[in-house]
Amino acid sequence: MGSSHDTLLAAVLLWLHLFFILIISARAKVPAIIVFGDSSVDAGNNNQVPTIARSNFRPYGRDFAGGEPTGRFCNGRLATDFISEAFGLRPIVPAYLDPAYNISDFAVGVTFASAGTGYDNATSDVLGVIPLWRELEYYKDYQKRLRAYLGDWKAIDTLSNALYVISIGTNDFLENYYSFPHRRMQYTIDAYQEFLIGIARNFIVDLHGLGARKISLGGLPPMGCMPLERAQNLANGNDCMETYNIVAMRFNAKLYDLVMKLNKDIPGLQLVFSNPFYILLQIISKPSLYGFEVSQRACCATGTFEMGYTCSQRSLFTCPNATKYVFWDAFHPSEQTNRLVADSVVKTVLSKFL
Ligand SMILES: *[C@@H]1O[C@H](CO)[C@@H](O)[C@H](O)[C@H]1NC(C)=O
Ligand SMILES: *[C@@H]1O[C@H](CO)[C@@H](O)[C@H](O)[C@H]1NC(C)=O
Ligand SMILES: *[C@@H]1O[C@H](CO)[C@@H](O)[C@H](O)[C@H]1NC(C)=O
């Protein structure tokens, strides 16, 4: 009788102990931000890869600290840089392959992202950039280095309380599916979306298996409104390409369903969906409400097709003040837009981790 009572008491105590550990870890401060994705969140990994998908030259980075062109596809900082700052971490998230940083920097923030990549391996092949599966290999390497640097316990604590941000997918449609016939011959647009969702699902399951808990999955922007796509929409007076926006909305709905399902299926996972679509569409359609003057053309060069090497210092047309522009180059938002999108996502979605 006494011994079964003791056993029960021990079980209750153990249960309480686990319960408090769960509560504490669920509410623990975010000690690091760890990023995967494409040019929306690449801070210079592509500088170390033989590809033309680069931006480590002026005028890129002209509004970054020291006017430095880091390889961010922007005049200044990216949304993930602002998110890191909002979490009380550093104001920038450095690229894992950037030799200017080491593990003491990466212990609080790191991005494995590569401009031009996608969920689909065939997308990263187009410009010879880092495929998503290899971003995860770099992350495994990072885990080893972090354990050597912080010790096992501190490293595990960091990895399980970190905020993981995934921002990828636009290139699968614009650089791959709609630019080359290969995937279009294999898949209808709906089947292609399902194929990508399967890859996203496996990626999140793998990331969770490696210890990640707090994960933000990013939605697609209204990609038909990028200046590059507008420039091709001559028939409709350079309006947004409605088809691409509809594809983005449908894909976002599928990503949202995936998030709901994974949260149900995987206990302890705290997966959220960060959707930039509506805030961006609002900024693009009513720029003056947000302090912008131009949303149809980008700041760099003619603002209609230039990005990467074609967005050159030699262009006489580049705007003097990118803060007035929603887009910095034909495919990427300006720093000011990144700031507004980051603010919106932090307030509406990521605040549960703050
Ligand atoms: C990282 O680099 C800084 C200087 O940039 C140096 O002081 C520090 O010792 C380095 N840390 C490691 C772990 O290599
Ligand atoms: C992408 O390539 C990697 C490495 O070859 C492979 O392991 C993975 O299965 C591929 N992904 C898909 C969806 O085919
Ligand atoms: C750039 O434009 C912004 C927004 O219109 C304005 O606040 C800022 O003062 C301008 N900067 C310069 C250097 O003119």
Side-chain angles (χ1 to χ4, degrees):
M1 183 91 178
S3 95
S4 86
H5 184 258
D6 288 351
T7 313
L8 182 65
L9 187 65
V12 168
L13 284 177
L14 179 66
W15 186 83
L16 274 177
H17 184 67
L18 288 175
F19 181 74
F20 282 115
I21 286 181
L22 278 177
I23 290 196
I24 289 164
S25 65
R27 294 182 53 195
K29 204 165 155 290
V30 166
I33 173 168
I34 298 172
V35 182
F36 299 91
D38 59 18
S39 60
S40 57
V41 291
D42 182 357
N45 286 310
N46 274 20
N47 303 348
Q48 310 302 322
V49 174
T51 175
I52 57 157
R54 292 261 181 94
S55 59
N56 54 341
F57 39 79
R58 293 293 187 89
Y60 284 98
R62 70 179 195 187
D63 299 312
F64 195 80
E68 190 195 352
T70 55
R72 285 171 176 78
F73 277 77
C74 190
N75 57 306
R77 291 192 283 157
L78 305 174
T80 35
D81 296 319
F82 289 108
I83 292 171
S84 175
E85 194 172 33
F87 274 83
L89 302 169
R90 296 191 182 169
I92 60 145
V93 179
Y96 190 56
L97 301 182
D98 188 334
Y101 299 93
N102 63 30
I103 192 67
S104 71
D105 305 299
F106 301 144
V108 293
V110 61
T111 174
F112 302 98
S114 175
T117 199
Y119 284 113
D120 184 356
N121 286 335
T123 304
S124 52
D125 286 347
V126 173
L127 294 170
V129 297
I130 303 170
L132 184 59
W133 65 266
R134 190 171 290 140
E135 291 189 23
L136 201 65
E137 293 300 310
Y138 281 124
Y139 170 69
K140 292 178 192 166
D141 179 59
Y142 164 75
Q143 286 202 339
K144 287 200 199 99
R145 287 173 66 189
L146 195 70
R147 281 207 299 272
Y149 176 64
L150 293 178
D152 282 342
W153 282 111
K154 187 97 195 295
I156 288 168
D157 182 65
T158 298
L159 295 167
S160 59
N161 285 307
L163 173 65
Y164 293 75
V165 176
I166 304 167
S167 174
I168 194 168
T170 306
N171 297 319
D172 292 305
F173 298 98
L174 298 186
E175 182 192 324
N176 182 359
Y177 191 87
Y178 288 112
S179 296
F180 294 96
H182 182 70
R183 288 306 193 201
R184 281 208 307 280
M185 281 159 60
Q186 273 180 303
Y187 297 103
T188 63
I189 184 63
D190 196 59
Y192 188 59
Q193 293 191 351
E194 291 301 333
F195 169 67
L196 300 180
I197 292 286
I199 298 170
R201 182 188 177 285
N202 291 340
F203 184 80
I204 291 163
V205 168
D206 288 349
L207 198 55
H208 173 267
L210 289 164
R213 294 295 174 268
K214 304 168 183 174
I215 308 177
S216 160
L217 181 62
L220 296 187
M223 54 192 189
C225 297
M226 286 170 173
L228 184 71
E229 311 312 323
R230 279 186 193 266
Q232 290 162 29
N233 201 9
L234 280 174
N236 293 304
N238 295 123
D239 232 339
C240 298
M241 291 276 247
E242 211 46 49
T243 0
Y244 292 161
N245 283 355
I246 290 168
V247 167
M249 274 192 284
R250 292 224 174 105
F251 190 62
N252 286 345
K254 290 181 201 279
L255 289 172
Y256 178 80
D257 290 346
L258 175 68
V259 166
M260 292 298 127
K261 182 157 175 15
L262 287 178
N263 277 325
K264 218 182 312 146
D265 294 352
I266 306 179
L269 177 66
Q270 294 177 276
L271 180 63
V272 295
F273 181 53
S274 294
N275 190 357
F277 189 96
Y278 297 102
I279 175 75
L280 273 170
L281 194 62
Q282 173 81 1
I283 291 173
I284 290 162
S285 46
K286 299 200 167 59
S288 62
L289 279 186
Y290 297 86
F292 294 105
E293 288 175 9
V294 185
S295 70
Q296 307 206 352
R297 274 179 300 109
C299 170
C300 191
T302 66
T304 53
F305 69 87
E306 296 92 342
M307 58 173 158
Y309 284 109
T310 48
C311 166
S312 140
Q313 183 79 318
R314 284 192 297 276
S315 173
L316 301 174
F317 302 106
T318 299
C319 78
N321 186 351
T323 308
K324 298 182 195 300
Y325 283 69
V326 175
F327 290 96
W328 160 250
D329 72 12
F331 212 69
H332 302 99
S334 64
E335 175 183 70
Q336 181 60 12
T337 305
N338 287 335
R339 175 186 283 120
L340 296 177
V341 170
D343 275 0
S344 155
V345 164
V346 166
K347 284 204 187 92
T348 58
V349 181
L350 303 181
S351 53
K352 72 180 277 193
F353 302 130
L354 262 172

